[in-house]
Amino acid sequence: MMAGMNTETCDPADAALLRGILASHPDAAPPAGWEAVRSFEAEHGIELPEPYRTFVAEISDGLRAGPPDYGLLPLAQTPSDWGEGRAERLLAQAFPLAEAWVWEGQGVDEGAEELTGEEFEARVDAVYDHGSLLLGTDGCGMYWHLITAGPQRGHVWLIDEFGAVPFGTRPGTLLPPGAPLMPGTPGFAGWVAHWSRGRSWFADDQ
């Protein structure tokens, strides 16, 4: 569905792109530093994907202006509307999806892969909590996740009450019924660059 990417080393072009975008935002938070990044990684048993890893360590650890609408979160924070008492987030456990999944309207009897009620809820919970870092929210329960484990590592996904959709799908990509197309360059740098141009996330709105 989406092209692979280098998540192990930071492309200097990506770093330059991100620095250039942040240069117009003097309110950007200072970088967290490598010690904080490595401490976070050790705590969660992961290595953050590039170029996000270098971005947080050397460029900025959060930007109130976005992306998304309510700001780019500092490392290790969750959105204010995430709620309390939720399950522990397992960043080292593989993100369970390889392609978009729209579960809104898909009850157990309506094609949700013949899952039982408990299995369906468990899979939805895993989409929210396994193998991803929260980048921020657009409000109304629309959360942006950076995938930290599994084949989708390094990709950015939008997950809300209706389903989960990856950013950076090519025009003409065959998507599940009801899944919106979000064209752009996959990955964190592409996602930030798309936002910086003031473009809608969705192809239908462009």
Side-chain angles (χ1 to χ4, degrees):
M1 175 187 240
M2 294 177 290
M5 62 179 70
N6 180 7
T7 60
E8 305 308 316
T9 59
C10 183
D11 186 329
D14 284 340
L17 172 69
L18 292 166
R19 289 182 190 278
I21 292 170
L22 268 289
S24 63
H25 294 280
D27 60 331
W34 283 108
E35 183 177 351
V37 167
R38 293 186 178 109
S39 175
F40 177 86
E41 292 175 332
E43 178 185 353
H44 293 281
I46 61 167
E47 182 172 295
L48 294 169
E50 293 287 7
Y52 177 78
R53 187 174 192 252
T54 295
F55 176 84
V56 172
E58 298 184 359
I59 302 174
S60 175
D61 186 24
L63 179 62
R64 187 170 297 178
D69 283 352
Y70 288 85
L72 181 64
L73 290 170
L75 185 66
Q77 286 196 15
T78 54
S80 59
D81 63 348
W82 186 247
E84 298 180 357
R86 297 183 68 144
E88 179 185 3
R89 309 201 70 253
L90 304 175
L91 276 63
Q93 188 160 331
F95 182 69
L97 300 182
E99 61 180 20
W101 180 33
V102 177
W103 56 71
E104 193 267 339
Q106 288 193 21
V108 175
D109 299 323
E110 298 178 29
E113 300 185 2
E114 300 182 355
L115 300 175
T116 67
E118 290 185 357
E119 290 171 339
F120 179 81
E121 292 299 326
R123 188 179 186 206
V124 171
D125 289 345
V127 170
Y128 273 101
D129 295 323
H130 291 176
S132 71
L133 176 81
L134 283 157
L135 294 173
T137 177
D138 276 328
C140 301
M142 299 172 66
Y143 301 106
W144 290 95
H145 295 239
L146 175 69
I147 308 307
T148 55
Q152 288 293 301
R153 183 172 179 269
H155 287 277
V156 176
W157 283 61
L158 176 63
I159 304 174
D160 61 19
E161 62 181 316
F162 304 108
V165 181
F167 171 79
T169 45
R170 297 188 182 92
T173 298
L174 183 63
L175 295 172
L181 180 68
M182 288 197 290
T185 302
F188 179 74
W191 179 71
V192 174
H194 189 93
W195 163 80
S196 73
R197 300 183 188 111
R199 303 181 65 183
S200 169
W201 297 118
F202 305 103
D204 290 347
D205 297 331
Q206 294 180 11

